Amino acid sequence: MSKQELEVLGQDATCCPGLAAAPLDEDRAADLAKVFKALGDPVRLRLMSMIASRGRSGEVCVCELTPAFDLSQPTISHHLKLLRQAGLIDCERRGTWVYYWALPGVLDNLATFLSVPHPAGVTA
């Protein structure tokens, strides 16, 4: 798998047993690390938040994302490309603009993966 082609995670329910279910094998750990690496940058995390907050059927134009940052449009596009390659978002070009949306269930699957059940009688 090249750096430019990342596997889309979270497209079915069987892919994401929780972190506490069993130790990760090398391949699964490498796949998840790519997703977390994409989210590990503050700009990409903010972009993901702005896109995901549009809701299930929502989408956002790149023209709405760019003004929120003190970065050039090509830099924003690069960050969006990395989120797309990690399988977190998708996009569609409409004329001059590109519209982005969060892929359904991907963030839910990551949340499920990260959740650890509390032992009986123990509260957080």
Side-chain angles (χ1 to χ4, degrees), residues 15-118:
C15 76
C16 300
L19 183 63
L24 289 173
D25 63 32
E26 285 184 44
D27 291 338
R28 181 77 174 125
D31 289 341
L32 281 167
K34 292 170 188 171
V35 174
F36 288 117
K37 183 176 180 180
L39 291 173
D41 180 89
V43 171
R44 289 192 292 272
L45 191 56
R46 284 187 60 210
L47 284 166
M48 188 69 220
S49 174
M50 292 171 74
I51 295 167
S53 67
R54 292 295 176 113
R56 210 171 161 87
S57 62
E59 56 191 22
V60 61
C61 178
V62 71
C63 64
E64 298 173 66
L65 297 170
T66 305
F69 299 90
D70 190 23
L71 298 169
S72 69
Q73 186 278 324
T75 301
I76 296 297
S77 292
H78 172 73
H79 285 294
L80 290 165
K81 175 184 171 185
L82 294 176
L83 290 172
R84 228 177 43 250
Q85 289 176 338
L88 294 164
I89 62 173
D90 203 357
C91 66
E92 177 181 76
R93 177 172 292 282
R94 298 181 198 151
T96 304
W97 301 111
V98 179
Y99 291 80
Y100 292 87
W101 59 89
L103 289 172
V106 174
L107 295 178
D108 291 336
N109 287 338
L110 287 175
T112 299
F113 170 76
L114 290 172
S115 66
V116 178
H118 294 286

